[in-house]
Amino acid sequence: MDTMERRLERFSLPVLILAGIAIVLYLLELFRFIPASLHGVMLWVNFLIDFVFLLDLSAKIIILGTKYVKSPWFLIDLVSTLPIISSATELLGSIGPQLQSTRVARGARVARVARVARVARVARVARVATALRGVRGGFLKPPSEAQATPAFDRALFMTIPLLLIIFMAISYFITQREVHLLQTHLSRQVEIAATQADIAQFPEYLDAQQAVNPQIDKIFITKTIDAKRVKFAFSAAEAHRRADLVQGLMLVFVLLTAACVVHMSRSLTADQKEEKEESLLSQFLSPAIVDKINTNPEVLERFYSRWLSVFFVAISGSTRAIGSESNDIEALALLRRRVMDIVRQQTVVVHQGILDKFMGDTVKGWIGGPFSAYWNRLSIFRERLALDELEYVEQDIRSLTRAIEAIGPQGNPELEGEAALGVASNDAERMAYLKEALSEVEANRIRLLEKHAAAQEEEPALQARYEEAMHEYQKQTALSAVLCCLGIWEEVSKQESEAAFHDLSIAIASGPVSVGNFGSTDQIGFTVLGPTVDRAARLEPASVQCGCRMLIDQATYDLVKKASELRFRLVPYISVSGTSEPIATYEPFKVEAVSEKFLEAFHEGVFAMQREALEEAVVHFKLADQLRDGGDTVSLMWIEACQTAMREGSKIGIKLIEKS
């Protein structure tokens, strides 16, 4: 039965097109654009169109059953089959002289407008997109037919029949009025006429043979001539022509008005829905991601490898404070929220980054990728080289290939996302469908490779320019991430309340990451994953344990070390959990926030410690501590380490940082 329903749904579009054609033909008849020689052909065309509507209605009742009969669409389809009364009556009237067509039945043709109203239900989806949504079990799902729309159903149930009844009533009134006016005019002319010969000269006059022709609409007027009452027959064609003209104009006006109202209503609804969805999504996702989803919803179905700068910001002591101060948790939560607001302001508003998620006391964020303004110049080169399209098509090939292999020669009875796939339920049909989609994707891949090669041939330096733009993008992204985190630290430290949270631990790592919706099928989990993210996560607790307020990895340092607004100090001998060797990390400062003498003294201490000149290292570290306002925790830590090593006659060991 599911297969029959899908075939029936595919038949809906041709029926809707036929309904549109029927309305156009009806308008052409009303405006007398169809010559009289084609009248017989038009009778058969109208009858066949209406017969198709009747067959469609019958098929839906048989296949869909009760759920269709209870839906408002049954009423729409039922009303749209009424014109078959008109078509059959006119056709039989042309075949058998004993039957005469009725104007009332002919007016039922306007009911075809109801069928055209169903066009809003049609949604065409490309084969490849449908297949991929099925095999991926994607987040973007088509609207459910069972979705409850009671207000819409009631409005549809009342409006369409009422509109058709009013239109047919007005049409009947117009026709009767025009016939009455013509009859009144002819009556006056007949009264004036002296003889029967004078009456026979009227353009509307019908002779004896025409007077009995059932195909002709007539007006009868009686006049006494030579003491005899004579009944004269006149053609009502002119009255019907004028009535049809008015009806045609009225129908055009109704159609245009309905189209405008529907367009305005749908536009308003779309704006309200988009605003509501955007407002809701913005509470869970950063605005840059929301904007991307609105302009390109497919972003939720794609997975990317992109170069980003990822950072973690943690509030020191927040959880412990909330746990111990159970009497006023709300006050502590508000203080914590103030810090989170600062993080969001600096990340999202100032630096156009992404605030990924809140994890207890820690915030995860990132800057860069297609959600960043820094990507714009890079995207120009990627578009010319078709890099994004090639990346997508390669991903589609892998997805479809996996689905085909999952079916395999044994025939896997279960396939993830089968319901969304929208193809036949058996494995053979599904395999054929997937292979057809795969062939389309592979053909597209060949086209994109040709486009890629043509772009490089047209401009040999294009690839080099792209790589140069990529390096510049990386520098801008890394610098923005560092300045963002420094801005967060400054704003948090400016809080005047003594109860506010002032201590943060921050870490930044830069490199390739995997970007995408890694959530469940029914819940968005748009985030970044990979070694770069893990490195940033491990460096965050390292900043506290090393006495620094912030640490950045080597990749970030290499990109921003020449920035005029920044200065750095090397934090040596660090090994984070999950790594086998010590790594180089750096603490960044704004140039106005640190003295060159302090940095010079600290680095001299590091170099002396690396030469194992521990006494000299202690001297330099003490000087660095004195040169920094409020002292330097890092220098004091290494002084203690050097003195311990000298007492025990050992070497400075590697400081192992455990992830908290």
Side-chain angles (χ1 to χ4, degrees):
M1 188 61 71
D2 290 341
T3 303
M4 294 296 293
E5 289 185 16
R6 284 193 291 269
R7 290 175 180 172
L8 190 63
E9 186 66 26
R10 286 197 292 268
F11 187 63
S12 294
L13 182 60
V15 173
L16 290 173
I17 294 174
L18 201 60
I21 294 173
I23 289 296
V24 173
L25 292 177
Y26 182 46
L27 286 172
L28 293 178
E29 286 185 57
L30 291 176
F31 289 122
R32 296 294 196 275
F33 287 143
I34 297 177
S37 59
L38 296 178
H39 178 71
V41 176
M42 288 303 303
L43 290 178
W44 280 103
V45 170
N46 279 313
F47 178 76
L48 290 175
I49 290 175
D50 294 330
F51 187 69
V52 170
F53 291 167
L54 185 60
L55 288 178
D56 179 62
L57 175 67
S58 302
K60 286 177 177 175
I61 293 174
I62 294 171
I63 296 172
L64 301 178
T66 307
K67 68 176 182 179
Y68 170 65
V69 175
K70 291 182 178 179
S71 72
W73 301 112
F74 168 70
L75 178 64
I76 298 299
D77 292 339
L78 179 63
V79 171
S80 68
T81 59
L82 292 179
I84 199 169
I85 301 172
S86 167
S87 301
T89 303
E90 290 184 340
L91 186 61
L92 292 175
S94 67
I95 297 174
Q98 73 281 7
L99 295 176
Q100 184 174 352
S101 61
T102 62
R103 301 296 300 181
V104 175
R106 185 171 179 267
R109 290 182 192 168
V110 74
R112 292 166 178 160
V113 177
R115 177 70 67 147
V116 179
R118 292 205 63 174
V119 74
R121 299 283 291 178
V122 178
R124 302 188 64 185
V125 183
R127 178 188 294 104
V128 173
T130 306
L132 288 169
R133 183 172 62 242
V135 300
R136 289 173 180 160
F139 181 82
L140 298 177
K141 300 177 178 63
S144 171
E145 289 291 333
Q147 191 172 15
T149 54
F152 172 76
D153 292 351
R154 286 194 300 270
L156 202 62
F157 188 86
M158 293 185 294
T159 304
I160 295 298
L162 182 62
L163 177 64
L164 296 178
I165 291 171
I166 292 174
F167 186 89
M168 292 176 65
I170 293 175
S171 299
Y172 178 76
F173 172 77
I174 292 173
T175 301
Q176 293 301 110
R177 180 175 178 276
E178 291 295 336
V179 171
H180 177 72
L181 290 175
L182 179 60
Q183 186 173 13
T184 302
H185 171 72
L186 289 173
S187 296
R188 291 172 182 170
Q189 295 297 104
V190 168
E191 288 296 327
I192 296 173
T195 65
Q196 187 172 348
D198 293 337
I199 296 174
Q201 299 300 316
F202 293 174
E204 298 86 357
Y205 178 77
L206 299 176
D207 57 27
Q209 183 178 358
Q210 293 172 325
V212 296
N213 188 344
Q215 303 295 322
I216 301 176
D217 291 311
K218 296 170 282 292
I219 296 174
F220 293 98
I221 299 175
T222 304
K223 178 179 174 64
T224 302
I225 299 179
D226 297 332
K228 295 182 180 180
R229 293 189 65 79
V230 182
K231 189 176 184 180
F232 298 97
F234 300 92
S235 171
E238 180 61 23
H240 290 314
R241 186 191 66 79
R242 292 197 299 266
D244 286 349
L245 178 61
V246 175
Q247 290 176 44
L249 293 173
M250 185 173 65
L251 180 56
V252 171
F253 175 76
V254 169
L255 290 173
L256 291 177
T257 302
C260 292
V261 170
V262 169
H263 175 70
M264 290 187 294
S265 176
R266 292 181 66 181
S267 299
L268 177 62
T269 302
D271 288 342
Q272 291 175 336
K273 180 180 178 182
E274 182 177 344
E275 182 181 357
K276 183 178 180 180
E277 289 179 349
E278 186 171 345
S279 176
L280 183 62
L281 283 173
S282 296
Q283 296 180 34
F284 298 93
L285 300 172
S286 286
I289 297 180
V290 176
D291 291 341
K292 203 71 172 180
I293 292 173
N294 287 334
T295 56
N296 181 23
E298 192 184 8
V299 71
L300 292 177
E301 304 288 5
R302 294 291 183 182
F303 299 91
Y304 315 84
S305 178
R306 294 289 184 264
W307 196 101
L308 305 172
S309 288
V310 184
F311 59 85
F312 286 81
V313 179
I315 306 174
S316 300
S318 169
T319 302
R320 289 191 300 273
I322 290 177
S324 60
E325 296 293 335
S326 57
N327 292 332
D328 198 356
I329 300 176
E330 181 182 359
L332 292 171
L334 292 175
L335 293 174
R336 181 182 179 277
R337 184 176 297 174
R338 170 58 185 155
V339 176
M340 297 303 182
D341 288 343
I342 293 173
V343 174
R344 187 187 186 282
Q345 172 70 16
Q346 288 294 316
T347 304
V348 175
V349 179
V350 178
H351 291 274
Q352 300 179 359
I354 304 298
L355 206 57
D356 191 318
K357 60 183 65 176
F358 298 93
M359 303 172 292
D361 292 337
T362 306
V363 184
K364 175 185 175 184
W366 37 278
I367 293 177
F371 309 99
S372 166
Y374 306 125
W375 187 263
N376 293 342
R377 183 168 179 268
L378 197 61
S379 64
I380 297 174
F381 293 99
R382 293 184 65 87
E383 182 178 355
R384 293 184 61 185
L385 291 167
L387 295 180
D388 288 335
E389 293 175 283
L390 279 170
E391 183 179 349
Y392 299 159
V393 83
E394 293 288 354
Q395 190 178 126
D396 292 345
I397 289 174
R398 289 191 294 270
S399 297
L400 291 170
T401 302
R402 269 196 310 273
I404 292 172
E405 291 174 350
I407 298 175
Q410 296 82 14
N412 187 356
E414 296 293 334
L415 180 67
E416 183 180 357
E418 180 180 353
L421 189 56
V423 296
S425 58
N426 63 70
D427 289 337
E429 290 186 2
R430 188 165 63 237
M431 176 75 81
Y433 189 86
L434 291 172
K435 285 185 175 180
E436 189 175 357
L438 180 60
S439 65
E440 289 186 26
V441 177
E442 289 175 337
N444 190 33
R445 179 178 179 273
I446 294 174
R447 180 186 64 81
L448 291 172
L449 287 172
E450 292 174 350
K451 178 181 177 181
H452 179 80
Q456 289 183 312
E457 184 177 349
E458 181 181 346
E459 187 177 348
L462 185 60
Q463 184 66 34
R465 291 179 59 198
Y466 168 68
E467 292 173 359
E468 180 183 345
M470 173 62 79
H471 183 67
E472 185 62 27
Y473 153 77
Q474 292 174 351
K475 287 172 59 178
Q476 292 175 333
T477 299
L479 179 59
S480 182
V482 174
L483 292 176
C484 172
C485 291
L486 287 173
I488 292 171
W489 181 274
E490 289 179 354
E491 291 299 317
V492 170
S493 63
K494 288 179 182 177
Q495 295 182 102
E496 297 179 355
S497 173
E498 293 184 1
F501 296 109
H502 295 92
D503 295 331
L504 302 177
S505 55
I506 305 174
I508 305 172
S510 301
V513 301
S514 298
V515 186
N517 179 16
F518 294 100
S520 71
T521 302
D522 299 310
Q523 185 169 330
I524 297 176
F526 204 90
T527 187
V528 292
L529 302 174
T532 301
V533 181
D534 292 341
R535 190 164 62 250
R538 288 184 170 92
L539 285 179
E540 179 270 309
S543 64
V544 176
Q545 296 175 46
C546 290
C548 302
R549 58 183 180 179
M550 185 188 313
L551 288 178
I552 64 175
D553 67 347
Q554 184 71 48
T556 306
Y557 172 75
D558 289 339
L559 290 165
V560 300
K561 61 185 178 183
K562 295 182 179 180
S564 59
E565 60 264 59
L566 296 176
R567 293 293 184 269
F568 307 89
R569 69 165 164 185
L570 172 66
V571 180
Y573 296 112
I574 290 180
S575 177
V576 299
S577 59
T579 60
S580 57
E581 297 180 356
I583 60 174
T585 56
Y586 301 83
E587 182 179 16
F589 304 89
K590 284 190 175 181
V591 65
E592 66 273 11
V594 66
S595 69
E596 294 289 349
K597 291 183 178 180
F598 159 71
L599 291 177
E600 182 180 351
F602 182 83
H603 284 138
E604 288 295 332
V606 172
F607 300 148
M609 190 169 58
Q610 289 174 339
R611 298 193 308 270
E612 298 185 7
L614 300 185
E615 292 184 359
E616 181 183 346
V618 169
V619 173
H620 290 298
F621 284 135
K622 287 183 177 180
L623 178 59
D625 179 56
Q626 295 172 1
L627 290 173
R628 189 174 188 189
D629 293 340
D632 181 48
T633 305
V634 182
S635 297
L636 295 177
M637 289 176 60
W638 289 116
I639 289 172
E640 182 180 354
C642 290
Q643 290 174 342
T644 300
M646 286 187 293
R647 284 196 307 268
E648 298 177 354
S650 60
K651 296 182 179 180
I652 298 292
I654 297 174
K655 185 174 181 58
L656 178 64
I657 304 298
E658 296 290 343
K659 186 174 181 180
S660 58

